Every structure is written in structure tokens, then in C-alpha cells.
């Protein structure tokens, strides 16, 4: 299994737009083959910090997700609105 924790720093001006796009990405990604879990979380102590938490069965499922139309169209929009840092864990 592969777990990705994607930490995002987003300004207060971009936060609402970011969350709107992020929720669309989450809804589509949860339907991808090999997706065990996919959600976005908001920090309760730092309003500028969000986090995607993703769990995939294997690298093939993650690669298919990263090639999917919802990923290739929405992630660039998210990248324009905030800065992302990815942590990857395999278990």
C-alpha cells in the first residue's frame, strides 16, 4: 500500500476556491480503482494549512490516478492556488 500526505499552504484569499476544487478532486478520486481512502482535512490550529490524505493499493493504481482526467485537470489549478509538500509512505 502507498500513503500520500499532501500538505498545502494556502492564503485566506484562495482558501475557499482551493477547497471547492479539492472537494471535486476528492469525489472523483474516491471512485478510482485501487483507492482505499482519499480525503482532505483542514487544520484546526492553522487555517492556512490543509492536507490531502490518500491511500492506494499499489503503484499501478496511483499511476492510473495521476493520469486520470480529473487529476490532470484539477491538480494544476490547485497548484496555482497553494503550495504543496508531499510525504510518501509504503507499507
Amino acid at each position: 500500500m502507498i500513503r500520500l500526505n499532501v500538505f498545502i499552504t494556502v492564503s485566506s484569499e484562495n482558501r475557499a476556491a482551493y477547497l471547492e476544487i479539492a472537494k471535486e478532486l476528492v469525489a472523483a478520486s474516491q471512485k478510482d480503482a485501487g483507492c482505499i481512502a482519499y480525503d482532505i482535512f483542514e487544520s484546526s490550529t492553522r487555517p492556512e494549512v490543509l492536507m490531502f490524505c490518500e491511500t492506494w493499493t499499489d503503484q499501478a493504481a496511483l499511476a492510473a490516478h495521476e493520469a486520470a482526467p480529473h487529476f490532470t485537470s484539477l491538480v494544476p489549478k490547485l497548484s496555482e492556488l497553494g503550495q504543496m509538500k508531499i510525504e510518501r509512505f509504503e507499507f
Side-chain angles (χ1 to χ4, degrees):
M1 272 192 273
I2 299 170
R3 162 72 53 84
L4 298 179
N5 293 330
V6 183
F7 294 93
I8 303 104
T9 303
V10 63
S11 69
S12 58
E13 294 83 16
N14 291 339
R15 192 171 193 280
Y18 194 99
L19 282 171
E20 183 177 329
I21 296 167
K23 288 175 185 178
E24 184 179 347
L25 178 63
V26 167
S29 299
Q30 289 174 335
K31 298 173 187 170
D32 287 346
C35 179
I36 295 170
Y38 201 110
D39 210 338
I40 186 157
F41 298 93
E42 303 176 56
S43 172
S44 63
T45 57
R46 297 173 51 202
E48 75 280 4
V49 176
L50 306 170
M51 184 185 79
F52 283 106
C53 184
E54 313 173 28
T55 306
W56 298 94
T57 54
D58 54 30
Q59 181 57 45
L62 177 57
H65 163 67
E66 291 173 342
H70 55 272
F71 185 93
T72 59
S73 65
L74 297 175
V75 171
K77 293 177 184 178
L78 293 173
S79 295
E80 291 176 7
L81 295 171
Q83 293 187 340
M84 295 185 205
K85 176 189 170 215
I86 300 173
E87 294 180 343
R88 179 185 172 119
F89 305 93
E90 295 189 41
F91 52 99

